């Protein structure tokens, strides 16, 4: 398992929809899951480290444990919004489901 910083990967290339990213996707997922198992708040703390603005928008929390971490740490200040799109709408936006 790997992180971009620990293994010298090109972070900018990992942000786009490229074959480069797909080459490392499964290893990055495994690395992230190992980090979460060892410390469920690892990524949440990393995101807020050094933040000073009074309002934050966290645009992608895929796990309930992330939402729970923010609620535990910040209490009633946390507001959640879930945006839902039909599969048809997603396809019009060029979304394609890929197994795995």
């Amino acid at each position: 398992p790997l992180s971009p910083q620990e293994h010298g990967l090109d972070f900018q290339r990992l942000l786009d929809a490229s074959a480069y990213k797909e080459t490392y996707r499964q290893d990055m997922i495994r690395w992230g899951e190992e980090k979460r198992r060892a410390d469920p708040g690892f990524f949440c703390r990393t995101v807020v480290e050094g933040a000073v603005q009074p309002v934050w928008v966290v645009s992608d929390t895929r796990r309930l444990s992330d939402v729970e971490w923010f609620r535990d740490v910040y209490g009633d200040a946390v507001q959640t919004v879930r945006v839902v799109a039909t599969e048809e709408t997603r396809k019009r936006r060029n979304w394609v489901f890929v197994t795995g």
Side-chain angles (χ1 to χ4, degrees), residues 52-64:
V52 295
Q53 56 272 50
V55 176
W56 310 337
V57 175
V58 180
S59 63
D60 190 1
T61 55
R62 297 181 185 195
R63 290 166 179 80
L64 181 56

Side-chain angles (χ1 to χ4, degrees), residues 43-52 56 58 69-70 74:
F43 293 105
C44 296
R45 276 194 310 282
T46 300
V47 167
V48 301
E49 187 175 293
V52 295
W56 310 337
V58 180
W69 183 89
F70 279 99
Y74 297 102

Side-chain angles (χ1 to χ4, degrees), residues 19-34:
Y20 181 85
K21 177 169 80 174
E22 293 307 318
T23 300
Y24 299 105
R25 179 183 294 276
Q26 291 305 316
D27 286 337
M28 289 188 300
I29 290 169
R30 278 191 294 277
W31 176 83
E33 292 306 320
E34 285 179 10

Side-chain angles (χ1 to χ4, degrees), residues 10 12-25:
D10 184 332
Q12 288 303 311
R13 290 186 68 195
L14 293 173
L15 296 177
D16 62 26
S18 66
Y20 181 85
K21 177 169 80 174
E22 293 307 318
T23 300
Y24 299 105
R25 179 183 294 276

